[in-house]
Amino acid sequence: MSWLFVLIPGMLAGLVQGLTGFGPAIVLMVFLPSILPMAKAAGVAGMIPVISVVMMAIHYRHYIKFKRIVWPFVLYAFVASLSIHLGGLLDVHISRAMLGGLLIVLSLYFLLSHTSGQKKFPLYVAIIFVLISGFFSGLFGIGGPLMALYFLSLSSTTEEYMATVQMFFVLDMTYTSSFRVINGIIGVNEIPIILIGVIGAALGTFIASRILNHMNLALVSKGIYTFIGISGIYYLTSSLLVLL
C-alpha cells in the first residue's frame, strides 16, 4: 500500500498543475519529505510532473511565446544551480517560513486588487520574481508561484498563459533534474518512486484537462491566487510549529 502514498499525491499534483499551470511540487512536498531526505524529496518532486508538463506544453504549443521565456530561464537556472549547492547549509524551516510568508502576502495582494493581475510588472519586479523562484526551486523544487504570476501578467488568454508557463517549466525541470542527477542527489533508488508519481500526475492532468476547457482566464487567475495563499499558509504554519 505504500505506493498509494506516492500515487495519490502524484494525482493531486497533476490535477493542480493542470488547473493552475503550476504547483505540483508544492503538493508533493507536503508528502515526500516524510519518506525522503529534503534534497532528494525536492529532486523527486521536480521530476514527477515532467510528463504532465510536457503533455500540457504540447497541447498548447501553438500559443507558446518563446521570447518571454529566454531571459527569465537563464537567470532562473543560474540561481537554482547555486541554491541546490546551498541547500545543506541553510535552515530548512526558516527558509520554508519565509517562502510561506511571501506567498500569503502575494495571494492577498492579488485577490484584493482588481487590476493587479491585468498589468505587466516592471522589469525590476520581474527580476526579483525570477531570483526568488530560482532560489526556492533549488532548495525545495518550488519555483512555480512567482513565475506563474509573471507569465500570467503578460498573457491575454488562458491558452497563452498555459502554453508559455508550461514551456518554461519543461526547461526548468529538464535542467534542474539533470543537475541533480549529475551531482548524485537523485539516483537509481528513487526511480520507482518517480515512476509511480508520474503515473498519478498523468492521471491528474488528464482529469484537469476536462475541467480547464470550461474556465476563462479570470477564473484561472482566482484559482492561482487562492492556491498560492493556501500553500503559503501551509509552509508558514508548519515551519513555525517546528521552530517554536
Side-chain angles (χ1 to χ4, degrees):
M1 294 295 289
S2 59
W3 58 274
L4 287 174
F5 195 76
V6 180
L7 182 69
I8 294 175
M11 189 180 302
L12 293 174
L15 184 63
V16 168
Q17 174 74 27
L19 292 177
T20 67
F22 76 102
I26 295 175
V27 175
L28 291 167
M29 287 299 283
V30 174
F31 300 92
L32 293 180
S34 64
I35 60 175
L36 292 169
M38 183 61 71
K40 288 185 178 293
V44 170
M47 298 180 79
I48 284 176
V50 167
I51 300 299
S52 298
V53 173
V54 170
M55 287 168 54
M56 293 185 67
I58 292 174
H59 180 73
Y60 293 105
R61 63 189 180 279
H62 299 299
Y63 301 93
I64 297 173
K65 304 293 184 182
F66 284 101
K67 291 182 180 179
R68 296 178 183 174
I69 297 174
V70 177
W71 80 259
F73 174 71
V74 172
L75 182 57
Y76 179 100
F78 174 74
V79 176
S81 300
L82 295 177
S83 66
I84 288 173
H85 286 302
L86 288 173
L89 304 177
L90 300 177
D91 188 293
V92 170
H93 299 295
I94 292 177
S95 300
R96 283 164 63 96
M98 291 170 57
L99 175 61
L102 174 64
L103 295 182
I104 291 171
V105 170
L106 287 171
S107 173
L108 291 174
Y109 174 74
F110 285 104
L111 284 172
L112 297 176
S113 174
H114 297 294
T115 60
S116 58
Q118 304 300 319
K119 60 184 180 182
K120 297 180 182 179
F121 295 113
L123 180 59
Y124 74 91
V125 174
I127 292 174
I128 291 172
F129 274 20
V130 173
L131 291 174
I132 294 174
S133 296
F135 178 74
F136 283 108
S137 176
L139 287 182
F140 309 124
I142 302 169
L146 297 185
M147 296 311 303
L149 292 180
Y150 171 69
F151 288 118
L152 183 65
S153 73
L154 300 177
S155 303
S156 56
T157 66
T158 300
E159 291 82 4
E160 186 179 315
Y161 160 71
M162 281 292 183
T164 307
V165 77
Q166 296 314 303
M167 191 65 237
F168 178 88
F169 289 137
V170 168
L171 297 175
D172 165 33
M173 292 177 180
T174 301
Y175 174 79
T176 54
S177 296
S178 299
F179 192 91
R180 288 185 171 100
V181 170
I182 291 171
N183 285 273
I185 297 172
I186 299 297
V188 294
N189 292 333
E190 286 71 51
I191 291 178
I193 296 174
I194 294 169
L195 292 178
I196 293 171
V198 165
I199 294 172
L203 290 173
T205 302
F206 176 77
I207 295 171
S209 68
R210 301 300 179 183
I211 303 172
L212 189 64
N213 293 332
H214 305 287
M215 301 171 66
N216 57 31
L217 187 62
L219 189 58
V220 172
S221 299
K222 289 183 179 179
I224 291 170
Y225 304 147
T226 302
F227 183 64
I228 287 174
I230 294 171
S231 304
I233 292 170
Y234 166 75
Y235 284 117
L236 180 61
T237 54
S238 62
S239 298
L240 289 179
L241 288 173
V242 174
L243 292 169
L244 296 178

